[in-house]
């Protein structure tokens, strides 16, 4: 499978990508822990089958000090002992917000209560925005066949320049 299209080489796509990245920077600069952000992005990308984003978020998390054990277990976080209750709430929100078509109720009241228990309003805004952003990023990459494997930690930040 070869990439179908490079958004960055198209004027409209490039302008969109810069604005999209700017929205992502707002979340990145929030008080939501960076490790939580990477775990959420990794989990949504796993669900959506986005090799490019799985590659990126695994490598960015590892470069930031995330353990290999936690990265390997994020796909089975419910059956793991290495995530905090707050991280579990964020991962549940990520899954339910990603699987909207599979779960007609969307995000459950139980999950929302756990999110409210562990995060303040600014962090909740970041959580919700991150779920929306990573799902959009997954769709952009999957539609255009962006493949995983060649990403190096820091590449995205360098591209924003």
């Amino acid at each position: 499978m070869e990439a179908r299209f490079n958004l960055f080489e198209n004027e409209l796509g490039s302008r969109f990508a810069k604005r999209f990245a700017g929205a992502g920077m707002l979340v990145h600069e929030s008080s939501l822990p960076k490790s939580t952000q990477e775990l959420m992005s990794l989990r949504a990308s796993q669900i959506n089958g986005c090799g490019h984003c799985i590659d990126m978020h695994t490598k960015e998390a590892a470069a930031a000090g995330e353990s290999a054990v936690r990265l390997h277990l994020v796909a089975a976080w419910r059956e793991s002992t290495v995530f905090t209750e707050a991280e579990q709430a964020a991962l549940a929100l990520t899954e339910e917000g990603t699987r909207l078509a599979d779960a007609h109720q969307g995000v459950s009241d139980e999950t929302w209560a756990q999110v409210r228990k562990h995060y303040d309003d600014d962090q909740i805004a970041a959580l919700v925005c991150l779920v929306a952003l990573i799902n959009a990023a997954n769709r952009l990459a999957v539609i255009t066949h962006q493949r995983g494997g060649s990403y190096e930690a820091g590449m995205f930040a360098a591209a924003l320049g």
Side-chain angles (χ1 to χ4, degrees):
M1 174 175 71
E2 290 190 33
R4 290 178 171 158
F5 190 77
N6 185 333
L7 284 172
F8 295 100
E9 292 177 354
N10 173 273
E11 182 182 348
L12 178 66
S14 180
R15 288 175 46 211
F16 174 82
K18 287 177 184 174
R19 286 173 176 81
F20 188 79
M25 288 305 297
L26 288 173
V27 174
H28 183 73
E29 294 168 355
S30 75
S31 63
L32 184 64
K34 304 302 180 255
S35 59
T36 301
Q37 293 181 39
E38 292 297 344
L39 294 172
M40 291 173 65
S41 294
L42 176 57
R43 185 64 191 122
S45 300
Q46 290 170 335
I47 292 166
N48 290 324
C50 182
H52 176 75
C53 293
I54 291 169
D55 188 31
M56 176 191 304
H57 294 291
T58 300
K59 290 174 180 173
E60 290 291 351
E66 189 61 69
S67 76
V69 170
R70 284 168 44 93
L71 291 174
H72 291 304
L73 288 174
V74 77
W77 63 269
R78 283 185 177 85
E79 291 79 29
S80 305
T81 60
V82 297
F83 301 103
T84 67
E85 285 185 13
E87 289 168 334
Q88 291 173 18
L91 289 167
L93 178 72
T94 301
E95 286 190 0
E96 293 174 21
T98 298
R99 292 186 161 139
L100 294 176
D102 300 337
H104 66 280
Q105 81 275 6
V107 175
S108 69
D109 290 340
E110 178 183 343
T111 294
W112 191 254
Q114 288 301 308
V115 166
R116 294 293 298 164
K117 176 180 173 183
H118 294 287
Y119 297 99
D120 64 28
D121 285 352
D122 286 344
Q123 291 171 321
I124 290 171
L127 287 164
V128 171
C129 292
L130 179 57
V131 171
L133 285 168
I134 190 58
N135 276 279
N138 291 161
R139 280 146 180 79
L140 290 168
V142 170
I143 290 167
T144 60
H145 283 182
Q146 303 305 305
R147 300 179 67 189
S150 62
Y151 185 83
E152 293 179 24
M155 281 177 71
F156 186 74
L160 297 177

